[in-house]
Amino acid sequence: MSFAFTIDDLPPLLVMLVLAAVLGWFADLFAGGRVPLGFFGSVLFGLLGAWVATRVVRPLIPWELPKEPIFDGVMLVTAGIGAFAFSLFWCILATRMTRR
């Protein structure tokens, strides 16, 4: 398995990064804001969640949202749900681990 990154992959990655930053910030606020990696960790897990939602999970789901907004090839609702879910999971998990 090889991983290739071309210049054509940059615009969708930037869209997912902005989406992950905004939703990671909301997840950080929702979870209380005491995360070990802080905002960077929330954004990183949000980016991972957006990628997993659009590239791995979405092709496995047989139905589609009607007229889902797409920007530079990124399904915004799907990527947003994935980014928020992964960021929120990271924030909740990390705050629980730091309390012990």
Side-chain angles (χ1 to χ4, degrees), residues 11 15 20 30 40 43 57 60 66-68 70 81 85 88 93 99:
V15 170
F30 186 74
F40 178 72
V43 171
V57 176
L60 299 175
K67 307 261 184 181
E68 181 174 6
I70 296 175
I81 290 171
L88 187 62
L93 181 71
R99 287 183 187 168

Side-chain angles (χ1 to χ4, degrees), residues 8-15 55 70-76:
D8 294 333
D9 296 331
L10 193 57
L13 184 65
L14 290 176
V15 170
R55 304 286 187 226
I70 296 175
F71 187 72
D72 274 337
V74 177
M75 296 173 278
L76 296 178

